[in-house]
Amino acid sequence: MVKHMIIWKLKDEVSDKEACKKDIKIALEGLVGKIDGLKEMHILTEGFSASTGDIMMDSTFENAAALASYQKHPLHVEIANSKVRPNVDTRLSFDHEV
């Protein structure tokens, strides 16, 4: 199994950050069962006040090949291009085997 984790910081100019976070959460969590090898997707939007990120993605894949396939999958690319990238200023990622 492979964990793929991301922390995003939204752009300052995003006018309704709560709505944006909810939209990203619904879209990405909705990919489970639609992309082979994607086992779990958890989008966290309510961190402690000391958190420096706005959204955290914690996802699990069958293996590294499944993660690579997900990253190019049209459903994922559509969400990344329409909901995530236009609203995100900073992206940090960390992938590891479990």
Side-chain angles (χ1 to χ4, degrees):
M1 297 292 240
V2 170
K3 295 293 276 183
H4 174 58
M5 304 173 85
I6 297 178
I7 295 176
W8 290 294
K9 178 76 176 159
L10 295 175
K11 292 178 180 177
D12 288 338
E13 58 266 24
V14 173
S15 60
D16 189 344
K17 289 188 178 188
E18 293 308 311
C20 180
K21 291 191 290 187
K22 182 179 178 182
D23 195 31
I24 290 170
K25 177 179 176 66
I26 290 168
L28 287 173
E29 288 180 350
L31 293 176
V32 175
K34 296 179 181 172
I35 297 178
D36 290 340
L38 172 59
K39 306 304 273 178
E40 295 181 339
M41 175 72 71
H42 304 283
I43 306 299
L44 307 172
T45 61
E46 301 300 324
F48 291 150
S49 61
S51 297
T52 57
D54 295 308
I55 306 169
M56 184 180 121
M57 181 178 84
D58 179 2
S59 55
T60 306
F61 294 84
E62 286 180 2
N63 51 43
L67 171 57
S69 178
Y70 160 83
Q71 291 173 325
K72 295 181 266 182
H73 194 284
L75 292 174
H76 167 252
V77 171
E78 172 60 27
I79 292 168
N81 288 338
S82 66
K83 299 181 184 307
V84 179
R85 290 185 182 110
N87 296 301
V88 167
D89 182 52
T90 304
R91 176 191 182 273
L92 298 171
S93 66
F94 192 86
D95 302 331
H96 65 97
E97 285 196 50
V98 289

